[in-house]
Amino acid sequence: MHRTVTTTLSKLSNTLNTNGVIPFFYHQDIDRVLEVMKILKRCECNVFEFTHQRDARGLRMFTWLAEKAKELDIIIGAGTVLDASQANRFIQAGAHFIASPFLHADVARVCHENNVVWIPGCSTFHDVAEAKALQASLVTILPGNILGPAFLKQVVNVHPEISFIPSGGVTLVKNNLQGWFDAGALCVRLGESLFTREDVAVKDWVKVEGNVYRALQGIKQIKTSILRTNSITISE
């Protein structure tokens, strides 16, 4: 196993805030995953979540990809991590952050012990309070298509010290993205809407890169507009 390479919470948070997105992707062809990472880097997106498929091959792939992430200077994390043993294996393989679809105290403990950022999934106010008790500073809100921006806005008001990342039901439609960022999202989590199955299947990397670039620019414009509006409001 490789030595753990830690990334501070502030560095990850700043990167997510700048990018406005956590891109996540998995494919059984490791070369396609690497190509996606290269596209992200060319589009100045410096973070990537590898959503492994809970098998030994996924861990081997991640170990190799973590080395490539060093070369590309990309923060790489492991997603869909379900228990402490999985978390530990991915941390030792080089994960900068661990994302889980739900709360798990043992996963939190392993991440804290290794100084690796833990991003749990939460679906209720109780979940968020529990995540806070387990020292989570970044929290995924899911499923976004059911909870919606109104839930996010409420939970941000109650827990302004936590940064929230909606996942599921997040699309590249401007009104959808606008709603999430207006509600207080740090960034959004996007997968197939960035890397469509059809484009990846035929390796149309030019189309994929164009899609990623437009998405990042659109998110940047939304966040800039919100910052400008907030600045005007404060000055008044």
Side-chain angles (χ1 to χ4, degrees):
M1 290 292 184
H2 297 260
R3 289 184 61 188
T4 302
V5 180
T6 60
T7 293
T8 64
L9 174 63
S10 61
K11 180 179 179 181
L12 177 58
S13 296
N14 289 338
T15 301
L16 296 180
N17 184 46
T18 299
N19 292 336
V21 62
I22 291 184
F24 69 93
F25 181 71
Y26 172 84
H27 197 283
Q28 60 185 4
D29 179 359
I30 196 169
D31 289 330
R32 297 188 203 208
V33 183
L34 179 59
E35 190 59 43
V36 161
M37 290 172 60
K38 290 178 178 178
I39 286 171
L40 291 172
K41 185 62 181 182
R42 288 197 294 270
C43 292
E44 299 183 353
C45 183
N46 298 315
V47 65
F48 173 66
E49 178 187 320
F50 177 76
T51 51
H52 81 288
Q53 300 300 298
R54 298 182 289 281
D55 57 26
R57 186 170 182 271
L59 180 61
R60 292 196 297 272
M61 289 176 66
F62 183 87
T63 302
W64 185 80
L65 291 168
E67 289 298 316
K68 295 300 178 181
K70 290 180 186 177
E71 298 172 11
L72 294 170
D73 193 24
I74 285 179
I75 298 171
I76 188 170
T80 326
V81 175
L82 302 181
D83 57 44
S85 61
Q86 284 183 356
N88 187 62
R89 287 194 292 270
F90 279 100
I91 288 169
Q92 297 308 315
H96 295 97
F97 65 90
I98 296 293
S100 301
F102 47 73
L103 293 168
H104 198 308
D106 285 344
V107 173
R109 175 184 53 77
V110 169
C111 289
H112 296 327
E113 287 176 351
N114 288 278
N115 195 30
V116 169
V117 179
W118 173 56
I119 310 177
C122 295
S123 303
T124 66
F125 278 95
H126 181 271
D127 284 350
V128 175
E130 184 65 21
K132 179 181 177 181
L134 293 170
Q135 302 178 55
S137 296
L138 295 173
V139 166
T140 301
I141 294 296
L142 54 85
N145 58 322
I146 294 176
L147 297 171
F151 172 82
L152 175 60
K153 187 172 184 178
Q154 291 179 5
V155 80
V156 166
N157 288 336
V158 175
H159 296 286
E161 71 283 0
I162 297 176
S163 296
F164 294 96
I165 306 165
S167 178
V170 181
T171 72
L172 293 178
V173 175
K174 183 177 180 180
N175 287 345
N176 183 280
L177 290 171
Q178 185 82 47
W180 288 115
F181 286 111
D182 280 342
L186 173 71
C187 66
V188 293
R189 188 171 174 270
L190 294 172
E192 192 175 345
S193 56
L194 290 177
F195 323 109
T196 69
R197 293 182 184 180
E198 295 79 10
D199 294 341
V200 172
V202 298
K203 300 183 181 180
D204 191 343
W205 302 122
V206 173
K207 191 173 180 181
V208 171
E209 185 163 346
N211 192 40
V212 170
Y213 179 80
R214 286 189 297 273
L216 290 170
Q217 291 304 304
I219 290 171
K220 189 175 185 178
Q221 290 173 7
I222 290 171
K223 288 174 69 69
T224 299
S225 176
I226 291 172
L227 283 173
R228 186 180 299 118
T229 300
N230 291 341
S231 177
I232 293 173
T233 301
I234 291 171
S235 64
E236 291 176 347

